[in-house]
């Protein structure tokens, strides 16, 4: 098994101080490998006996890399890999609303599998949405085509927050069924479960829909901190339960999406957000699955996001991976960060950019290759398939 540096030419950039280039053990002097392996086995014991992580996916490039272990090649998957860029997705979704598709287990499983079949990516990401748990709790929310999640009643006052319904466990059954159907087809390819982080969920709840600067939730955390805390706690419970249902039903890793956390200062993140994200990630802490924490525009927040309880930090395209790794003290697995804009550039330009991302990823104890944000809807699917082959060949 090659180290993750295999065949990657030396970077011309100086390596950040404190980062290690090669083996896990060298990169994580703070870890006792034997104690870590024992803790991992103990946590896996909390999963059902036939769980994919206990019977196959633990040795996959994705799970090994997320644990900081060497893998046969660097794993690659794409945020929004299931979606409008695939003709088979458009065909499967024809005439079915987004939330209805998410809550129809056979359809959600089929859409989840499509990009794995087509591109040979190293992981599936569960086809759902961050507002699905809100919907299952009984909140009036819909996903409007071309726009995104929209709430019937924005959540802006203490009374609005107090009226938020709790998510009943049985409401998660369609999620469990979809995950079970998916992992039955995936074999040793891991499924990544996900949820929205409390700030990003609250941003939709307070604004009532998509927004650019997320001003209302940022005002609320200062103007009415008690209501903010109650809302963020509700979001953490709801997202946490959604994550746990996916893991128990068969997901081998999870990603918490704090897509809009980049609109926060580090001070606001630490004072009003981090502990709630820690609660959401904490909902699966005892189950052994690796946890990825992603946001966009989060260059200033990377270490705080790691410290919320993540094994790996997702990095968007705005900050080079070696700089991100340096900010993480060179001891945290990173994920990212091919610029989605380059998917439409000529092949050699995209490949040169991807090579640079791979080189910079060497400064972390593990690197999961991904885009810096989601696949744009007009991406040529063949470009993604070719990129997967390229990354596997370059890092084998
Ligand atoms: C395919 C899709 C999804 N959600 C939406 C769509 C488009 C709907 C359609 O096809 O009509 C609406 C849909 N849902 C949302 C948006 C963004 C709206 C906005 O700009 O605020 C849209 C268009 C909200 C949402 N939803 C999600 C996030 C976090 C990821 C990110 O930052 O992009 C966010 C912010 C998570 C999400 N959403 C989805 C996945 C599926 C798995 C995959 O990645 O392949 C995931 C992980 C699926």
């Amino acid at each position: 098994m090659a180290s993750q540096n295999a065949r990657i030419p030396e970077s011309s950039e100086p390596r950040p101080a404190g980062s290690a280039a090669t083996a896990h053990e060298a990169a994580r002097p703070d870890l006792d490998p034997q104690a870590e392996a024992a803790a991992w086995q103990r946590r896996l014991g909390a999963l059902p006996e036939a769980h994919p992580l206990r019977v196959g996916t633990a040795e996959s490039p994705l799970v090994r890399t997320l644990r900081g272990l060497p893998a046969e090649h660097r794993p690659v998957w794409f945020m929004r890999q299931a979606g409008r860029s695939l003709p088979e997705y458009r065909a499967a979704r024809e005439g079915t609303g987004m939330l209805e598709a998410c809550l129809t287990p056979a359809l959600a499983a089929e859409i989840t599998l499509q990009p794995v079949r087509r591109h040979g990516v190293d992981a599936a990401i569960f086809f759902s949405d961050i507002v699905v748990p809100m919907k299952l709790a009984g909140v009036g929310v819909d996903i409007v085509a071309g726009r995104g999640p929209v709430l019937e009643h924005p959540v802006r006052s203490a009374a609005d927050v107090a009226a938020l319904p709790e998510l009943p466990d049985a409401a998660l059954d369609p999620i469990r069924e979809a995950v079970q159907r998916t992992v039955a087809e995936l074999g040793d390819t891991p499924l990544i479960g996900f949820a929205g982080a409390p700030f990003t969920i609250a941003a939709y709840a307070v604004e009532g829909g998509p927004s650019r600067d997320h001003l209302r939730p940022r005002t609320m955390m200062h103007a009415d901190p008690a209501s903010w805390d109650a809302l963020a706690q509700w979001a953490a419970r709801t997202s946490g339960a959604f994550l746990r249902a996916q893991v128990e039903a068969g997901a081998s890793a999870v990603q918490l999406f704090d897509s809009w956390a980049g609109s926060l200062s580090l001070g606001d993140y630490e004072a009003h957000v981090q502990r709630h994200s820690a609660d959401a990630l904490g909902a699966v802490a005892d189950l052994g699955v690796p946890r990825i924490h992603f946001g966009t525009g989060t260059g200033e927040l990377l270490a705080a996001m790691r410290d919320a309880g993540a094994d790996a930090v997702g990095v968007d395209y705005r900050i080079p991976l070696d700089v991100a790794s340096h900010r993480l003290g060179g001891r945290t697995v990173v994920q990212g960060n091919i610029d989605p804009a380059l998917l439409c550039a000529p092949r050699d330009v995209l490949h040169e950019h991807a090579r640079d991302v791979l080189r910079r990823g060497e400064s972390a104890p593990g690197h999961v290759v991904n885009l810096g944000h989601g696949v744009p809807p007009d991406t040529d699917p063949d470009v993604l398939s070719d990129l997967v082959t390229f990354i596997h060949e370059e890092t084998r």
Side-chain angles (χ1 to χ4, degrees):
M1 221 174 246
S3 98
Q4 73 159 36
N5 297 317
R7 294 191 46 204
I8 306 301
E10 273 299 301
S11 169
S12 55
E13 296 286 320
R15 262 205 185 94
S19 71
T22 51
H24 171 61
E25 287 77 9
R28 300 290 311 263
D30 54 316
L31 283 188
D32 170 352
Q34 270 179 342
E36 209 224 352
W40 162 257
Q41 285 304 331
R42 209 169 37 247
R43 291 208 305 267
L44 288 192
L47 291 170
E49 235 166 74
H51 192 282
L53 207 45
R54 294 183 67 173
V55 298
T57 60
E59 293 307 317
S60 64
L62 179 86
V63 173
R64 287 187 62 86
T65 300
L66 288 173
R67 293 188 60 214
L69 301 171
E72 57 194 290
H73 54 71
R74 283 193 223 179
V76 51
W77 67 279
F78 304 114
M79 290 182 278
R80 290 281 167 92
Q81 64 190 17
R84 298 224 157 259
S85 67
L86 296 185
E88 59 270 35
Y89 169 83
R90 296 196 294 268
R93 273 284 317 281
E94 183 85 56
T96 309
M98 176 64 192
L99 285 173
E100 190 190 342
C102 292
L103 297 175
T104 307
L107 183 55
E110 165 60 21
I111 293 175
T112 303
L113 293 164
Q114 287 175 346
V116 180
R117 291 189 201 116
R118 183 189 266 263
H119 303 309
V121 279
D122 292 285
I125 173 124
F126 184 50
F127 178 77
S128 195
D129 194 81
I130 59 169
V131 298
V132 163
M134 209 187 260
K135 174 81 180 172
L136 292 174
V139 173
V141 61
D142 200 4
I143 294 182
V144 177
R147 188 154 175 237
V150 177
L151 275 80
E152 260 166 53
H153 305 290
V155 180
R156 297 195 180 148
S157 67
D160 294 337
V161 176
L164 285 169
E166 289 301 316
L167 171 59
D169 185 64
L172 289 163
D173 285 347
I175 303 302
R176 296 187 176 96
E177 186 186 335
V179 168
Q180 283 159 357
R181 284 172 179 264
T182 305
V183 298
E185 301 284 323
L186 274 174
D188 292 346
T189 301
L191 174 69
I192 301 172
F194 76 93
F199 175 72
T200 291
I201 294 294
Y204 285 109
V206 181
E207 294 285 356
S211 74
R212 223 173 48 155
D213 301 323
H214 318 294
L215 283 170
R216 286 191 180 93
R218 293 196 293 114
T219 302
M220 188 182 188
M221 60 180 69
H222 292 278
D224 186 359
S227 294
W228 168 260
D229 262 343
L231 171 58
Q233 281 167 9
W234 175 85
R237 277 197 303 281
T238 310
S239 283
F242 185 54
L243 282 182
R244 196 166 176 97
Q246 293 168 73
V247 172
E248 287 178 345
S252 293
V254 295
Q255 176 155 317
L256 191 68
F257 281 95
D258 210 348
S259 301
W260 312 136
S263 68
L264 295 163
S265 66
L266 178 59
D268 276 354
Y269 185 82
E270 287 176 340
H272 301 290
V273 171
Q274 188 186 35
R275 65 182 177 280
H276 303 297
S277 296
D279 285 346
L281 287 164
V284 292
D286 60 320
L287 299 179
V289 292
R291 293 168 291 172
I292 308 164
H293 200 174
F294 167 81
T296 66
T298 50
E300 302 304 318
L301 308 181
L302 296 171
M305 290 176 71
R306 187 259 323 277
D307 295 342
D311 302 283
V313 173
V315 179
D316 86 345
Y317 56 87
R318 293 172 181 86
I319 173 171
L321 272 191
D322 52 340
V323 176
S325 178
H326 182 50
R327 292 185 184 186
L328 290 160
R331 63 185 171 88
T332 304
V333 174
V334 294
Q335 176 176 280
N337 70 350
I338 293 171
D339 187 341
L342 293 203
L343 296 173
C344 286
R347 189 167 182 263
D348 56 329
V349 175
L350 172 61
H351 283 190
E352 202 37 58
H353 171 64
R355 261 197 205 101
D356 184 57
V357 168
L358 293 173
R359 267 196 296 267
R360 293 175 189 276
E362 282 168 33
S363 56
H367 174 205
V368 176
V369 182
N370 205 314
L371 304 177
H373 202 174
V375 174
D378 57 355
T379 303
D380 175 353
D382 291 344
V383 169
L384 294 176
S385 303
D386 176 71
L387 189 55
V388 172
T389 306
F390 177 76
I391 284 156
H392 286 168
E393 283 173 355
E394 287 286 308
T395 60
R396 220 182 299 274

